[in-house]
Amino acid sequence: MLENTKKMLEKAKTEGYAVPHFNINNLEWTRFILETCEIEKSPVILGVSEGAKKYMVGFSTVTEMVKAMVKELNITIPVALHLDHGSSVESCKEAIDAGFTSVMIDASKYSVEENVKMTREVVMYAHERNVTVEAEIGHVGGEEDGVADELAYAKVEDAARLAKETGIDSLAPALGSVHGIYKGEPKLDFERMKKIQELTNLPLVLHGGSGIPDELIKQSVICGICKLNINTDLQLVWAKDVRKFLNEDQTVYDPRKIIKSGEQAIKDKVKEKIYLLNSNGRA
Ligand code: 13P
C-alpha cells in the first residue's frame, strides 16, 4: 500500500532525521530502490518528474507499476509516490487522479501571489483526496531534465507567507543547492534554513541533494531538512558501471544484463544516503 508523506515527514521532523526521495526512471530503478529501503527499514519517497512520467508512459502506468511491485516484493516500509516539480495545477490533479499519494506544485517561477494562488488550488484538491502537497519558494536552479536555470534564494517572508496562506504539508525553499552536477561548492544558507523552519514549522525539503558534501547534508538535517531529493548521484554511479560493463564485454546485447550491471552501484548509493540521512531502522 502506498501512503502520503504526512506521517513519514512529521516523524522525521520530530525525531530529527530525513526521509530520502529518490527519482525513478524505470522499472529496474524502482526495484533497486525499494529492495534496498526494505532491507534498511527506511521509509522512501519515489519521485517522478514530468519528464520521467512522459518516458514511463503516463502517471497511471507508473502508479500501477509501483503498486504491483510493492505487492510482489512484499514491501512493508512506508512508500510514497510523489510528483516531482509539477509545473501546473492540471499536472498535479492528473497525478492525484492517477493514484499518486503526494505532489509537488512548483510555481516558483511565478510571482509570490501567483505561487500562493496555484499552490492553494492544488492543496484544496489534494487534501480532499488524502494527498500531501509540497511547494517551492525562491528558485532551485541547476539542470533538470536537460533544462538549465538560475538559483534564487528563498526570501524568509515569502516562505512564511506561502506556508500560512496555503496549508501545504512540506516546503522546499531554495537555500543554495541546485539540480544536477555542481560547478563549485554549494553555498547552503543555514541561517535562512533555520529561520524558515522556525517561522513555518513545516518539514523542509532540500532539492538538488546530489553532490553536496556529507557534512553539509548532516547540518541541513539539524536545521530542519526532513526530505532530501536525490537523482543525479544514482544516475552517475549507474552510468559508470554500465559503461564499464559494456566496455569489458563487447558481445553482450541482452538489455536485462546491461541495465542490471548498474544494480549494485545504485543499491550501494541508496544505502549510503539512507545512513547519511539516518533514516535506517525508522520504518
Ligand atoms: P539532483 O539530481 O541534483 O540530485 O536533484 C534531484 C532533485 O532535486 C529532484 O527534485
Side-chain angles (χ1 to χ4, degrees):
M1 256 271 281
L2 301 179
E3 57 182 78
N4 68 30
T5 60
K6 189 84 190 164
K7 251 200 268 165
M8 57 174 102
L9 292 186
E10 287 298 338
K11 188 168 185 285
K13 183 165 157 277
T14 311
E15 296 181 20
Y17 63 95
V19 179
H21 155 133
F22 295 110
N23 286 81
I24 56 172
N25 293 289
N26 56 26
L27 176 144
E28 290 85 351
W29 286 49
T30 312
R31 175 171 73 73
F32 304 157
I33 293 164
L34 283 175
E35 284 179 346
T36 311
C37 291
E38 178 67 23
I39 289 172
E40 300 305 330
K41 292 280 166 264
S42 169
V44 67
I45 298 167
L46 301 176
V48 179
S49 67
E50 288 174 350
K53 164 229 178 182
K54 209 164 153 196
Y55 179 79
M56 290 190 275
V57 204
F59 290 131
S60 308
T61 313
V62 179
T63 311
E64 296 310 316
M65 174 187 78
V66 171
K67 273 196 197 158
M69 204 180 280
V70 164
K71 188 162 169 255
E72 298 274 356
L73 293 173
N74 294 317
I75 299 295
T76 60
I77 48 157
V79 179
L81 182 58
H82 175 81
L83 170 62
D84 190 25
H85 294 283
S87 61
S88 64
V89 175
E90 292 67 39
S91 180
C92 292
K93 287 183 177 174
E94 194 191 330
I96 294 167
D97 291 345
F100 275 49
T101 57
S102 175
V103 292
M104 174 192 191
I105 171 71
D106 179 0
S108 62
K109 67 176 179 194
Y110 301 108
S111 65
V112 180
E113 284 71 32
E114 189 60 20
N115 192 343
V116 166
K117 187 168 161 271
M118 286 169 69
T119 302
R120 245 158 100 159
E121 197 178 334
V122 173
V123 168
M124 270 163 62
Y125 193 82
H127 283 182
E128 275 171 10
R129 292 158 179 83
N130 196 28
V131 169
T132 40
V133 180
E134 172 185 327
E136 178 167 320
I137 193 80
H139 194 65
V140 178
E143 184 164 312
E144 195 158 58
D145 282 340
V147 182
D149 57 23
E150 291 280 309
L151 158 75
Y153 285 81
K155 291 201 182 96
V156 174
E157 59 277 16
D158 292 346
R161 181 174 167 201
L162 188 69
K164 189 159 169 266
E165 295 182 17
T166 61
I168 45 172
D169 304 283
S170 61
L171 177 66
L175 295 162
S177 58
V178 295
H179 294 120
I181 297 171
Y182 284 90
K183 301 222 168 65
E185 271 255 319
K187 290 191 183 57
L188 295 186
D189 188 339
F190 293 113
E191 277 313 305
R192 198 183 293 253
M193 203 180 281
K194 269 196 285 193
K195 263 196 211 128
I196 292 178
Q197 205 294 313
E198 279 162 20
L199 274 175
T200 62
N201 197 27
L202 282 172
L204 298 186
V205 179
L206 191 64
H207 279 249
S210 301
I212 301 177
D214 287 359
E215 283 317 307
L216 299 189
I217 297 286
K218 286 184 189 162
Q219 188 62 28
S220 306
V221 175
I222 292 170
C223 293
I225 294 299
C226 299
K227 171 176 180 271
L228 183 74
N229 285 20
I230 303 151
N231 187 17
T232 306
D233 270 352
L234 298 195
Q235 296 184 337
L236 288 172
V237 292
W238 177 83
K240 182 166 174 265
D241 277 18
V242 171
R243 204 168 278 124
K244 182 164 173 275
F245 179 73
L246 287 170
N247 280 335
E248 284 171 1
D249 184 348
Q250 300 288 330
T251 62
V252 64
Y253 58 87
D254 183 338
R256 291 169 299 185
K257 288 188 182 151
I258 296 170
I259 296 174
K260 201 175 157 46
S261 65
E263 173 171 353
Q264 200 53 50
I266 290 193
K267 288 186 162 177
D268 291 347
K269 189 52 81 179
V270 167
K271 186 171 167 185
E272 186 188 310
K273 297 293 180 187
I274 286 172
Y275 280 77
L276 176 63
L277 299 178
N278 197 17
S279 61
N280 45 305
R282 309 294 192 134

